[in-house]
Amino acid sequence: QGRPMPEARDIDTAQIRECVPRLCLMEPLRGGEDFLYRACGRAVQRRIGQRAVPRPVSDCHPAEAAERFNADLRACLETGEPRGLLVRDDPMLPGARFVELLLPLADEDGRPARVLAFRHVPGG
């Protein structure tokens, strides 16, 4: 549609039903220092082990994991470009690795405002 990134309303979750349990909608807090879970799929929430919505990343993850995830989310918003990462030895899963895909979503003015995060964590 002639835009560099989709708006949040462009996403039709009915078309991506298989991914929904692993999706999170993240919103920046305090200038991107921390991010808020606005929505969180069941598989991710099970891995976190607590209700994530509406809580900041720093309240839901060990400090090192929160710092890394917040930095990845911030970089996604700053560049306005999707990011694909292979995460290794995250404190939530020591010795394991998982895929993290980050898609910036635009506000009404076309600026990156939120991030749709897909986190494929082993074991749900």
Side-chain angles (χ1 to χ4, degrees):
Q1 296 183 4
R3 296 180 305 219
M5 70 188 84
E7 292 182 8
R9 66 178 179 217
D10 294 333
I11 306 296
D12 179 3
T13 56
Q15 293 180 356
I16 53 173
R17 175 169 274 140
E18 301 277 326
C19 296
V20 171
R22 296 175 180 186
L23 289 176
C24 301
L25 181 60
M26 310 302 294
E27 183 175 288
L29 295 173
R30 301 181 287 279
E33 182 181 316
D34 205 351
F35 280 76
L36 182 72
Y37 279 97
R38 297 297 290 163
C40 185
R42 288 182 184 158
V44 175
Q45 191 152 293
R46 272 194 307 270
R47 174 57 64 191
I48 292 170
Q50 59 185 308
R51 183 166 168 75
V53 177
R55 298 179 61 204
V57 168
S58 60
D59 286 357
C60 298
H61 300 275
E64 187 180 328
E67 184 178 329
R68 186 208 49 81
F69 190 34
N70 279 323
D72 292 343
L73 293 166
R74 192 170 36 256
C76 181
L77 280 187
E78 287 171 359
T79 64
E81 296 179 0
R83 296 174 57 87
L85 305 154
L86 178 61
V87 179
R88 292 185 176 119
D89 290 325
D90 188 90
M92 288 183 66
L93 291 167
R97 61 185 179 176
F98 63 92
V99 174
E100 187 174 85
L101 303 173
L102 306 175
L103 176 67
L105 300 176
D107 62 12
E108 297 79 25
D109 297 323
R111 292 181 301 244
R114 292 184 177 96
V115 177
L116 185 64
F118 174 83
R119 304 183 86 199
H120 190 313
V121 179

